[in-house]
Amino acid sequence: MNILVTGGAGYIGSITCVQLIAAGYRPVILDSLVNGKVAVLDRIEQISGQRPVFIEADVRDRARVVQVLREHAIDAVIHFAGLKAVGESVAQPVRYYDNNVQGSLVLIDAMREVGVKTLVFSSSATVYAETQDMPLHEGSPIGATSPYGRSKWMVEQILGDVAASDPSWSMTALRYFNPVGAHPSGLMGEDPQGIPNNLMPFIAQVAVGRRPSLRIFGRDYPTPDGTGVRDYIHVMDLADGHLAALRYAHGRAGHHVFNLGSGQGLSVLDMLAAFGQACGQTLPHEFAPRRAGDLAAFWADPALAEKVLGWRVQRSLQAMCTDTWHWQSNNPKGYDA
Ligand code: NAD
Ligand code: WQD
């Protein structure tokens, strides 16, 4: 099967391409490179022995997307392309809605024209409303608090409406919790631009000496150690979740929604200690005030994905840290080194 992977030059998309190739699929990457790296193509080839076709294009370029769907006889689409920085989305809402919502609309319309009817979409746990009622399941209340989160929820609703309008569509939204980790080869991983917003890449840059110390945002949350609790999922498990979703959804019409998480909550201090073990250092850190907009604790109920897709996480916290450290220490400056 030929799979169009939008955003396939990014962190999760590129590693999913490796797993797609290993499973016998042929990924075709379309990426604007707004946050992706062409170097991933060499790394994918190094790991899998196959170099995916790469098209540098914006998913909002309808004519180009139609052409790619036709030329490469695409059977299904995994749609990773999107902007993902929560803070930036608050400052630049129009840019976020245009890229994430308009981008998805253009893609769906191009698919309709060509008759490609299977779409797997990168959604996020950030669509859920704030609640103390854990774990979050697919029916938990929705209430995204940022333009980024709302853009994901808008697209999920569009997928539902399109699936309801025409029974030949198969639309799947995957709500990722907190993706971390790297390919175990150490050749591919997360390579954020500038100062990392997220915990794991920040810790990894402290470990490699690029940042002096981790600032822990908040120590007085109502959690066992007072620091924020999240559901971290190894990016390899996340990639495998896409394969499971693709196998399930292709040829099965309707609108499907699944959490992809581990089901386990871990604190900032848990993550710091595990990473310290993986890299053999005590990592410098200091406590700082809570970060605006942060929730105390949330984690997934991943039971639906296990029941329906036959998927659940396989990789441990230790693997998340060891693989990140392997990637970061081999590529201290990321793909540009
Ligand atoms: P990433 O930024 O590394 O990858 C996204 C890729 O999409 C980049 O390569 C970027 O160049 C490309 N892109 C963006 N807009 C585009 C456009 N209009 N046309 C073509 N290409 C475009 O991010 P990631 O962490 O790999 O995330 C992938 C997807 O998963 C995103 O949609 C993100 O919102 C979603 N997601 C990520 C996380 C996370 O914590 N990383 C959590 C939940 C959901
Ligand atoms: C995790 C914990 C922080 C950095 C974000 C998005 C979400 C999703 C994943 C896309 C929190 C703490 C962090 C630091 C810290 N992305 N922390 N010091 O906030 O759960 O989710 O990324 O969909 O939409 O909001 O992840 O990694 O930023 O934070 O103490 O330097 O680490 O306060 O408790 P978050 P994160």
Side-chain angles (χ1 to χ4, degrees):
M1 271 173 73
N2 298 326
I3 313 296
L4 178 65
V5 182
T6 75
Y11 169 46
I12 304 168
S14 60
I15 290 176
T16 301
C17 285
V18 170
Q19 296 303 81
L20 283 169
I21 293 170
Y25 294 94
R26 184 172 161 266
V28 171
I29 297 176
L30 182 143
D31 198 299
S32 66
L33 299 180
V34 62
N35 197 39
K37 298 280 164 72
V38 230
V40 302
L41 299 171
D42 297 334
R43 307 292 172 98
I44 295 171
E45 189 176 5
Q46 231 176 307
I47 294 168
S48 64
Q50 282 180 49
R51 191 177 185 84
V53 173
F54 171 65
I55 296 116
E56 183 175 346
D58 196 293
V59 79
R60 290 165 293 184
D61 182 345
R62 189 177 182 286
R64 199 72 203 282
V65 175
V66 166
Q67 183 200 6
V68 169
L69 290 169
R70 286 217 170 99
E71 233 170 56
H72 297 280
I74 297 298
D75 297 293
V77 179
I78 310 183
H79 180 34
F80 292 101
L83 299 173
K84 63 165 180 177
V86 174
E88 193 180 65
S89 81
V90 175
Q92 303 174 17
V94 176
R95 180 171 170 238
Y96 268 68
Y97 288 123
D98 184 42
N99 198 85
N100 294 2
V101 181
Q102 181 65 6
S104 301
L105 277 172
V106 170
L107 173 66
I108 292 165
D109 196 44
M111 290 172 68
R112 183 194 52 73
E113 181 174 329
V114 180
V116 178
K117 295 294 186 70
T118 303
L119 178 66
V120 175
F121 170 65
S122 300
S123 189
S124 169
T126 197
V127 300
Y128 291 115
E130 185 169 357
T131 170
Q132 316 275 317
D133 200 5
M134 289 298 139
L136 296 166
H137 57 88
E138 289 78 357
S140 292
I142 296 295
T145 52
S146 70
Y148 166 71
R150 281 190 281 274
S151 77
K152 292 291 180 189
W153 175 234
M154 287 176 193
V155 175
E156 282 201 24
Q157 291 174 93
I158 293 168
L159 301 187
D161 290 343
V162 174
S165 74
D166 171 353
S168 63
W169 281 98
S170 172
M171 298 295 211
T172 305
L174 301 177
R175 294 180 181 157
Y176 314 160
F177 279 67
N178 288 58
V180 296
H183 190 273
S185 63
L187 287 168
M188 300 178 73
E190 192 170 7
D191 182 16
Q193 294 177 11
I195 301 171
N197 293 314
N198 297 117
L199 178 65
M200 190 69 141
F202 201 104
I203 294 179
Q205 291 193 6
V206 171
V208 85
R210 264 175 83 177
R211 312 267 160 214
S213 156
L214 173 72
R215 294 174 68 221
I216 298 178
F217 300 137
R219 66 187 306 182
D220 58 352
Y221 283 112
T223 58
D225 65 21
T227 67
V229 166
R230 297 290 184 271
D231 182 331
Y232 296 93
I233 171 173
H234 197 301
V235 66
M236 294 291 289
D237 280 329
L238 188 59
D240 290 342
H242 290 74
L243 270 70
L246 199 59
R247 280 190 200 107
Y248 173 79
H250 191 58
R252 194 178 263 113
H255 181 216
H256 319 287
V257 179
F258 300 102
N259 282 342
L260 294 185
S262 72
Q264 191 194 4
L266 293 166
S267 75
V268 177
L269 289 174
D270 291 334
M271 298 303 286
L272 189 67
F275 204 96
Q277 271 196 341
C279 69
Q281 305 170 43
T282 304
L283 297 171
H285 60 276
E286 62 208 69
F287 288 95
R290 291 181 180 192
R291 185 171 66 176
D294 268 358
L295 304 180
F298 60 88
W299 61 93
D301 177 349
L304 187 67
E306 176 156 14
K307 183 171 155 223
V308 178
L309 305 178
W311 169 92
R312 66 187 175 98
V313 299
Q314 305 288 338
R315 290 148 179 103
S316 63
L317 170 60
Q318 193 192 12
M320 298 178 206
C321 294
T322 308
D323 293 339
T324 304
W325 175 237
H326 194 191
W327 153 251
Q328 189 73 60
S329 53
N330 284 345
N331 307 269
K333 294 190 174 143
Y335 287 109
D336 295 329

PDB file of all heavy atoms in Angstrom, residues 7 9-12 31-36 57-60 80-82 84 99 122-124 148 152 176-177 179, ligand 1:
ATOM      1  N   GLY A   7       3.624  15.856   6.730  1.00  0.00           N
ATOM      2  CA  GLY A   7       4.412  16.127   7.940  1.00  0.00           C
ATOM      3  C   GLY A   7       5.404  15.012   8.239  1.00  0.00           C
ATOM      4  O   GLY A   7       5.904  14.897   9.359  1.00  0.00           O
ATOM      5  N   ALA A   9       8.442  14.734   7.483  1.00  0.00           N
ATOM      6  CA  ALA A   9       9.815  15.148   7.795  1.00  0.00           C
ATOM      7  C   ALA A   9       9.932  15.634   9.239  1.00  0.00           C
ATOM      8  O   ALA A   9      10.994  16.095   9.663  1.00  0.00           O
ATOM      9  CB  ALA A   9      10.269  16.243   6.828  1.00  0.00           C
ATOM     10  N   GLY A  10       8.850  15.519   9.994  1.00  0.00           N
ATOM     11  CA  GLY A  10       8.862  15.926  11.399  1.00  0.00           C
ATOM     12  C   GLY A  10       9.187  14.758  12.326  1.00  0.00           C
ATOM     13  O   GLY A  10       9.487  13.640  11.877  1.00  0.00           O
ATOM     14  N   TYR A  11       9.104  15.035  13.605  1.00  0.00           N
ATOM     15  CA  TYR A  11       9.520  14.068  14.649  1.00  0.00           C
ATOM     16  C   TYR A  11       8.723  12.759  14.575  1.00  0.00           C
ATOM     17  O   TYR A  11       9.289  11.680  14.349  1.00  0.00           O
ATOM     18  CB  TYR A  11       9.348  14.771  16.002  1.00  0.00           C
ATOM     19  CG  TYR A  11       9.453  13.917  17.244  1.00  0.00           C
ATOM     20  CD1 TYR A  11      10.474  12.992  17.410  1.00  0.00           C
ATOM     21  CD2 TYR A  11       8.527  14.085  18.284  1.00  0.00           C
ATOM     22  CE1 TYR A  11      10.573  12.243  18.581  1.00  0.00           C
ATOM     23  CE2 TYR A  11       8.624  13.345  19.447  1.00  0.00           C
ATOM     24  CZ  TYR A  11       9.642  12.420  19.597  1.00  0.00           C
ATOM     25  OH  TYR A  11       9.724  11.692  20.757  1.00  0.00           O
ATOM     26  N   ILE A  12       7.424  12.833  14.742  1.00  0.00           N
ATOM     27  CA  ILE A  12       6.634  11.595  14.831  1.00  0.00           C
ATOM     28  C   ILE A  12       6.448  10.984  13.439  1.00  0.00           C
ATOM     29  O   ILE A  12       6.550   9.763  13.257  1.00  0.00           O
ATOM     30  CB  ILE A  12       5.271  11.872  15.507  1.00  0.00           C
ATOM     31  CG1 ILE A  12       5.478  12.505  16.894  1.00  0.00           C
ATOM     32  CG2 ILE A  12       4.463  10.579  15.634  1.00  0.00           C
ATOM     33  CD1 ILE A  12       4.207  13.088  17.518  1.00  0.00           C
ATOM     34  N   ASP A  31       5.883  17.449   2.875  1.00  0.00           N
ATOM     35  CA  ASP A  31       6.187  18.311   4.030  1.00  0.00           C
ATOM     36  C   ASP A  31       6.647  19.670   3.507  1.00  0.00           C
ATOM     37  O   ASP A  31       7.422  19.742   2.554  1.00  0.00           O
ATOM     38  CB  ASP A  31       7.284  17.646   4.884  1.00  0.00           C
ATOM     39  CG  ASP A  31       7.359  18.223   6.282  1.00  0.00           C
ATOM     40  OD1 ASP A  31       7.627  19.438   6.404  1.00  0.00           O
ATOM     41  OD2 ASP A  31       7.168  17.482   7.264  1.00  0.00           O
ATOM     42  N   SER A  32       6.196  20.741   4.162  1.00  0.00           N
ATOM     43  CA  SER A  32       6.595  22.089   3.752  1.00  0.00           C
ATOM     44  C   SER A  32       7.939  22.483   4.340  1.00  0.00           C
ATOM     45  O   SER A  32       8.487  23.530   3.994  1.00  0.00           O
ATOM     46  CB  SER A  32       5.544  23.097   4.232  1.00  0.00           C
ATOM     47  OG  SER A  32       5.558  23.128   5.650  1.00  0.00           O
ATOM     48  N   LEU A  33       8.451  21.676   5.275  1.00  0.00           N
ATOM     49  CA  LEU A  33       9.701  21.935   6.001  1.00  0.00           C
ATOM     50  C   LEU A  33       9.598  23.153   6.920  1.00  0.00           C
ATOM     51  O   LEU A  33      10.615  23.691   7.341  1.00  0.00           O
ATOM     52  CB  LEU A  33      10.905  22.056   5.049  1.00  0.00           C
ATOM     53  CG  LEU A  33      11.192  20.788   4.217  1.00  0.00           C
ATOM     54  CD1 LEU A  33      12.408  21.014   3.307  1.00  0.00           C
ATOM     55  CD2 LEU A  33      11.439  19.572   5.109  1.00  0.00           C
ATOM     56  N   VAL A  34       8.366  23.585   7.259  1.00  0.00           N
ATOM     57  CA  VAL A  34       8.239  24.696   8.208  1.00  0.00           C
ATOM     58  C   VAL A  34       8.847  24.296   9.549  1.00  0.00           C
ATOM     59  O   VAL A  34       9.390  25.129  10.259  1.00  0.00           O
ATOM     60  CB  VAL A  34       6.768  25.168   8.338  1.00  0.00           C
ATOM     61  CG1 VAL A  34       5.840  24.083   8.865  1.00  0.00           C
ATOM     62  CG2 VAL A  34       6.641  26.394   9.222  1.00  0.00           C
ATOM     63  N   ASN A  35       8.787  23.010   9.880  1.00  0.00           N
ATOM     64  CA  ASN A  35       9.439  22.524  11.099  1.00  0.00           C
ATOM     65  C   ASN A  35      10.061  21.140  10.889  1.00  0.00           C
ATOM     66  O   ASN A  35      10.361  20.444  11.855  1.00  0.00           O
ATOM     67  CB  ASN A  35       8.434  22.472  12.257  1.00  0.00           C
ATOM     68  CG  ASN A  35       9.094  22.392  13.607  1.00  0.00           C
ATOM     69  OD1 ASN A  35      10.117  23.046  13.836  1.00  0.00           O
ATOM     70  ND2 ASN A  35       8.547  21.582  14.507  1.00  0.00           N
ATOM     71  N   GLY A  36      10.246  20.750   9.642  1.00  0.00           N
ATOM     72  CA  GLY A  36      10.788  19.410   9.380  1.00  0.00           C
ATOM     73  C   GLY A  36      12.209  19.516   8.847  1.00  0.00           C
ATOM     74  O   GLY A  36      12.700  20.604   8.555  1.00  0.00           O
ATOM     75  N   ALA A  57       6.167  20.470  -0.211  1.00  0.00           N
ATOM     76  CA  ALA A  57       4.948  21.200  -0.585  1.00  0.00           C
ATOM     77  C   ALA A  57       4.133  21.457   0.668  1.00  0.00           C
ATOM     78  O   ALA A  57       4.300  20.780   1.690  1.00  0.00           O
ATOM     79  CB  ALA A  57       4.121  20.372  -1.564  1.00  0.00           C
ATOM     80  N   ASP A  58       3.273  22.428   0.554  1.00  0.00           N
ATOM     81  CA  ASP A  58       2.361  22.744   1.650  1.00  0.00           C
ATOM     82  C   ASP A  58       1.064  21.981   1.431  1.00  0.00           C
ATOM     83  O   ASP A  58       0.566  21.905   0.310  1.00  0.00           O
ATOM     84  CB  ASP A  58       2.093  24.263   1.679  1.00  0.00           C
ATOM     85  CG  ASP A  58       1.498  24.694   2.999  1.00  0.00           C
ATOM     86  OD1 ASP A  58       0.358  24.299   3.301  1.00  0.00           O
ATOM     87  OD2 ASP A  58       2.184  25.420   3.742  1.00  0.00           O
ATOM     88  N   VAL A  59       0.524  21.448   2.498  1.00  0.00           N
ATOM     89  CA  VAL A  59      -0.696  20.652   2.394  1.00  0.00           C
ATOM     90  C   VAL A  59      -1.891  21.528   1.965  1.00  0.00           C
ATOM     91  O   VAL A  59      -2.904  21.016   1.495  1.00  0.00           O
ATOM     92  CB  VAL A  59      -0.910  19.899   3.730  1.00  0.00           C
ATOM     93  CG1 VAL A  59      -1.498  20.786   4.785  1.00  0.00           C
ATOM     94  CG2 VAL A  59      -1.692  18.641   3.540  1.00  0.00           C
ATOM     95  N   ARG A  60      -1.733  22.846   2.066  1.00  0.00           N
ATOM     96  CA  ARG A  60      -2.796  23.750   1.610  1.00  0.00           C
ATOM     97  C   ARG A  60      -2.744  23.993   0.104  1.00  0.00           C
ATOM     98  O   ARG A  60      -3.613  24.683  -0.437  1.00  0.00           O
ATOM     99  CB  ARG A  60      -2.700  25.091   2.363  1.00  0.00           C
ATOM    100  CG  ARG A  60      -3.085  24.965   3.832  1.00  0.00           C
ATOM    101  CD  ARG A  60      -2.645  26.177   4.624  1.00  0.00           C
ATOM    102  NE  ARG A  60      -1.191  26.264   4.702  1.00  0.00           N
ATOM    103  CZ  ARG A  60      -0.509  27.169   5.380  1.00  0.00           C
ATOM    104  NH1 ARG A  60      -1.165  28.093   6.063  1.00  0.00           N
ATOM    105  NH2 ARG A  60       0.810  27.163   5.402  1.00  0.00           N
ATOM    106  N   PHE A  80       0.047  14.128   9.599  1.00  0.00           N
ATOM    107  CA  PHE A  80       0.789  14.690  10.738  1.00  0.00           C
ATOM    108  C   PHE A  80       1.001  16.191  10.580  1.00  0.00           C
ATOM    109  O   PHE A  80       1.321  16.859  11.566  1.00  0.00           O
ATOM    110  CB  PHE A  80       2.195  14.073  10.827  1.00  0.00           C
ATOM    111  CG  PHE A  80       2.254  12.622  11.187  1.00  0.00           C
ATOM    112  CD1 PHE A  80       2.461  11.651  10.210  1.00  0.00           C
ATOM    113  CD2 PHE A  80       2.136  12.209  12.503  1.00  0.00           C
ATOM    114  CE1 PHE A  80       2.557  10.307  10.544  1.00  0.00           C
ATOM    115  CE2 PHE A  80       2.219  10.869  12.853  1.00  0.00           C
ATOM    116  CZ  PHE A  80       2.429   9.915  11.869  1.00  0.00           C
ATOM    117  N   ALA A  81       0.938  16.712   9.343  1.00  0.00           N
ATOM    118  CA  ALA A  81       1.350  18.097   9.098  1.00  0.00           C
ATOM    119  C   ALA A  81       0.529  19.062   9.938  1.00  0.00           C
ATOM    120  O   ALA A  81      -0.697  19.096   9.845  1.00  0.00           O
ATOM    121  CB  ALA A  81       1.207  18.437   7.614  1.00  0.00           C
ATOM    122  N   GLY A  82       1.212  19.841  10.747  1.00  0.00           N
ATOM    123  CA  GLY A  82       0.516  20.816  11.576  1.00  0.00           C
ATOM    124  C   GLY A  82       1.528  21.588  12.391  1.00  0.00           C
ATOM    125  O   GLY A  82       2.673  21.156  12.542  1.00  0.00           O
ATOM    126  N   LYS A  84       2.424  23.028  16.183  1.00  0.00           N
ATOM    127  CA  LYS A  84       2.098  22.353  17.446  1.00  0.00           C
ATOM    128  C   LYS A  84       2.495  23.092  18.724  1.00  0.00           C
ATOM    129  O   LYS A  84       2.414  22.509  19.802  1.00  0.00           O
ATOM    130  CB  LYS A  84       2.741  20.970  17.444  1.00  0.00           C
ATOM    131  CG  LYS A  84       4.251  21.011  17.395  1.00  0.00           C
ATOM    132  CD  LYS A  84       4.887  19.668  17.748  1.00  0.00           C
ATOM    133  CE  LYS A  84       6.389  19.754  17.699  1.00  0.00           C
ATOM    134  NZ  LYS A  84       7.072  18.533  18.100  1.00  0.00           N
ATOM    135  N   ASN A  99      -3.202  26.980   9.109  1.00  0.00           N
ATOM    136  CA  ASN A  99      -2.350  25.817   8.827  1.00  0.00           C
ATOM    137  C   ASN A  99      -3.056  24.513   9.198  1.00  0.00           C
ATOM    138  O   ASN A  99      -3.100  23.566   8.406  1.00  0.00           O
ATOM    139  CB  ASN A  99      -1.033  25.956   9.598  1.00  0.00           C
ATOM    140  CG  ASN A  99       0.041  25.048   9.038  1.00  0.00           C
ATOM    141  OD1 ASN A  99       0.728  25.382   8.090  1.00  0.00           O
ATOM    142  ND2 ASN A  99       0.138  23.848   9.580  1.00  0.00           N
ATOM    143  N   SER A 122      -3.499  13.133  13.273  1.00  0.00           N
ATOM    144  CA  SER A 122      -2.811  13.401  14.543  1.00  0.00           C
ATOM    145  C   SER A 122      -3.619  14.368  15.376  1.00  0.00           C
ATOM    146  O   SER A 122      -3.537  15.579  15.173  1.00  0.00           O
ATOM    147  CB  SER A 122      -1.474  14.103  14.281  1.00  0.00           C
ATOM    148  OG  SER A 122      -0.612  13.351  13.504  1.00  0.00           O
ATOM    149  N   SER A 123      -4.376  13.843  16.334  1.00  0.00           N
ATOM    150  CA  SER A 123      -5.024  14.735  17.288  1.00  0.00           C
ATOM    151  C   SER A 123      -4.229  14.710  18.590  1.00  0.00           C
ATOM    152  O   SER A 123      -3.084  14.221  18.611  1.00  0.00           O
ATOM    153  CB  SER A 123      -6.496  14.356  17.479  1.00  0.00           C
ATOM    154  OG  SER A 123      -7.132  15.369  18.242  1.00  0.00           O
ATOM    155  N   SER A 124      -4.802  15.228  19.641  1.00  0.00           N
ATOM    156  CA  SER A 124      -4.013  15.447  20.854  1.00  0.00           C
ATOM    157  C   SER A 124      -4.897  15.353  22.089  1.00  0.00           C
ATOM    158  O   SER A 124      -6.080  15.720  22.057  1.00  0.00           O
ATOM    159  CB  SER A 124      -3.404  16.850  20.777  1.00  0.00           C
ATOM    160  OG  SER A 124      -2.848  17.221  22.004  1.00  0.00           O
ATOM    161  N   TYR A 148      -4.348  26.144  19.496  1.00  0.00           N
ATOM    162  CA  TYR A 148      -3.800  24.876  18.992  1.00  0.00           C
ATOM    163  C   TYR A 148      -4.762  23.721  19.289  1.00  0.00           C
ATOM    164  O   TYR A 148      -5.146  22.959  18.391  1.00  0.00           O
ATOM    165  CB  TYR A 148      -2.427  24.598  19.631  1.00  0.00           C
ATOM    166  CG  TYR A 148      -1.974  23.173  19.416  1.00  0.00           C
ATOM    167  CD1 TYR A 148      -1.576  22.743  18.156  1.00  0.00           C
ATOM    168  CD2 TYR A 148      -1.986  22.245  20.462  1.00  0.00           C
ATOM    169  CE1 TYR A 148      -1.198  21.423  17.946  1.00  0.00           C
ATOM    170  CE2 TYR A 148      -1.606  20.934  20.258  1.00  0.00           C
ATOM    171  CZ  TYR A 148      -1.207  20.525  18.997  1.00  0.00           C
ATOM    172  OH  TYR A 148      -0.850  19.211  18.789  1.00  0.00           O
ATOM    173  N   LYS A 152      -7.283  21.298  16.722  1.00  0.00           N
ATOM    174  CA  LYS A 152      -7.354  19.827  16.658  1.00  0.00           C
ATOM    175  C   LYS A 152      -8.802  19.369  16.817  1.00  0.00           C
ATOM    176  O   LYS A 152      -9.250  18.446  16.126  1.00  0.00           O
ATOM    177  CB  LYS A 152      -6.477  19.200  17.745  1.00  0.00           C
ATOM    178  CG  LYS A 152      -4.991  19.411  17.543  1.00  0.00           C
ATOM    179  CD  LYS A 152      -4.480  18.629  16.348  1.00  0.00           C
ATOM    180  CE  LYS A 152      -3.002  18.815  16.109  1.00  0.00           C
ATOM    181  NZ  LYS A 152      -2.548  18.229  14.836  1.00  0.00           N
ATOM    182  N   TYR A 176      -2.936  11.752  20.843  1.00  0.00           N
ATOM    183  CA  TYR A 176      -1.666  11.409  21.483  1.00  0.00           C
ATOM    184  C   TYR A 176      -1.606  12.074  22.853  1.00  0.00           C
ATOM    185  O   TYR A 176      -1.965  13.238  23.004  1.00  0.00           O
ATOM    186  CB  TYR A 176      -0.458  11.940  20.720  1.00  0.00           C
ATOM    187  CG  TYR A 176      -0.409  11.756  19.233  1.00  0.00           C
ATOM    188  CD1 TYR A 176       0.439  12.568  18.473  1.00  0.00           C
ATOM    189  CD2 TYR A 176      -1.150  10.776  18.570  1.00  0.00           C
ATOM    190  CE1 TYR A 176       0.544  12.420  17.109  1.00  0.00           C
ATOM    191  CE2 TYR A 176      -1.046  10.632  17.197  1.00  0.00           C
ATOM    192  CZ  TYR A 176      -0.210  11.459  16.472  1.00  0.00           C
ATOM    193  OH  TYR A 176      -0.094  11.339  15.117  1.00  0.00           O
ATOM    194  N   PHE A 177      -1.006  11.363  23.802  1.00  0.00           N
ATOM    195  CA  PHE A 177      -0.694  11.989  25.088  1.00  0.00           C
ATOM    196  C   PHE A 177       0.693  12.643  24.937  1.00  0.00           C
ATOM    197  O   PHE A 177       0.857  13.484  24.082  1.00  0.00           O
ATOM    198  CB  PHE A 177      -0.926  10.989  26.230  1.00  0.00           C
ATOM    199  CG  PHE A 177      -2.417  10.956  26.548  1.00  0.00           C
ATOM    200  CD1 PHE A 177      -3.320  10.445  25.610  1.00  0.00           C
ATOM    201  CD2 PHE A 177      -2.931  11.550  27.680  1.00  0.00           C
ATOM    202  CE1 PHE A 177      -4.705  10.509  25.828  1.00  0.00           C
ATOM    203  CE2 PHE A 177      -4.304  11.609  27.914  1.00  0.00           C
ATOM    204  CZ  PHE A 177      -5.183  11.088  26.983  1.00  0.00           C
ATOM    205  N   PRO A 179       4.224  12.397  23.626  1.00  0.00           N
ATOM    206  CA  PRO A 179       5.218  11.594  22.908  1.00  0.00           C
ATOM    207  C   PRO A 179       6.642  11.996  23.292  1.00  0.00           C
ATOM    208  O   PRO A 179       6.967  13.186  23.322  1.00  0.00           O
ATOM    209  CB  PRO A 179       4.959  11.931  21.428  1.00  0.00           C
ATOM    210  CG  PRO A 179       3.667  12.686  21.394  1.00  0.00           C
ATOM    211  CD  PRO A 179       3.514  13.328  22.721  1.00  0.00           C
TER     212      PRO A 179
HETATM  213  P1  NAD B   1       6.787  18.286  13.970  1.00  0.00           P
HETATM  214  O1  NAD B   1       6.694  19.758  13.943  1.00  0.00           O
HETATM  215  O2  NAD B   1       8.106  17.657  14.221  1.00  0.00           O
HETATM  216  O3  NAD B   1       6.199  17.672  12.614  1.00  0.00           O
HETATM  217  C1  NAD B   1       5.165  18.292  11.889  1.00  0.00           C
HETATM  218  C2  NAD B   1       5.622  18.381  10.440  1.00  0.00           C
HETATM  219  O4  NAD B   1       4.588  18.975   9.660  1.00  0.00           O
HETATM  220  C3  NAD B   1       6.871  19.244  10.250  1.00  0.00           C
HETATM  221  O5  NAD B   1       7.837  18.515   9.536  1.00  0.00           O
HETATM  222  C4  NAD B   1       6.362  20.450   9.460  1.00  0.00           C
HETATM  223  O6  NAD B   1       7.358  20.943   8.580  1.00  0.00           O
HETATM  224  C5  NAD B   1       5.165  19.876   8.741  1.00  0.00           C
HETATM  225  N1  NAD B   1       4.125  20.855   8.392  1.00  0.00           N
HETATM  226  C6  NAD B   1       3.518  21.740   9.208  1.00  0.00           C
HETATM  227  N2  NAD B   1       2.595  22.434   8.536  1.00  0.00           N
HETATM  228  C7  NAD B   1       2.609  21.972   7.258  1.00  0.00           C
HETATM  229  C8  NAD B   1       1.889  22.278   6.086  1.00  0.00           C
HETATM  230  N3  NAD B   1       0.955  23.237   6.081  1.00  0.00           N
HETATM  231  N4  NAD B   1       2.144  21.594   4.957  1.00  0.00           N
HETATM  232  C9  NAD B   1       3.098  20.623   4.948  1.00  0.00           C
HETATM  233  N5  NAD B   1       3.822  20.303   6.018  1.00  0.00           N
HETATM  234  C10 NAD B   1       3.583  20.969   7.161  1.00  0.00           C
HETATM  235  O7  NAD B   1       5.704  17.769  15.052  1.00  0.00           O
HETATM  236  P2  NAD B   1       5.441  16.317  15.635  1.00  0.00           P
HETATM  237  O8  NAD B   1       5.766  16.351  17.076  1.00  0.00           O
HETATM  238  O9  NAD B   1       6.048  15.291  14.779  1.00  0.00           O
HETATM  239  O10 NAD B   1       3.849  16.283  15.532  1.00  0.00           O
HETATM  240  C11 NAD B   1       3.180  15.689  14.437  1.00  0.00           C
HETATM  241  C12 NAD B   1       1.695  15.913  14.610  1.00  0.00           C
HETATM  242  O11 NAD B   1       1.269  15.353  15.844  1.00  0.00           O
HETATM  243  C13 NAD B   1       1.264  17.391  14.642  1.00  0.00           C
HETATM  244  O12 NAD B   1       0.043  17.525  13.949  1.00  0.00           O
HETATM  245  C14 NAD B   1       1.076  17.664  16.118  1.00  0.00           C
HETATM  246  O13 NAD B   1       0.128  18.679  16.344  1.00  0.00           O
HETATM  247  C15 NAD B   1       0.559  16.321  16.601  1.00  0.00           C
HETATM  248  N6  NAD B   1       0.811  16.099  18.027  1.00  0.00           N
HETATM  249  C16 NAD B   1       2.091  16.210  18.513  1.00  0.00           C
HETATM  250  C17 NAD B   1       2.328  16.024  19.871  1.00  0.00           C
HETATM  251  C18 NAD B   1       3.702  16.214  20.449  1.00  0.00           C
HETATM  252  O14 NAD B   1       3.823  16.435  21.655  1.00  0.00           O
HETATM  253  N7  NAD B   1       4.779  16.117  19.671  1.00  0.00           N
HETATM  254  C19 NAD B   1       1.268  15.674  20.729  1.00  0.00           C
HETATM  255  C20 NAD B   1      -0.020  15.548  20.184  1.00  0.00           C
HETATM  256  C21 NAD B   1      -0.226  15.757  18.838  1.00  0.00           C
END
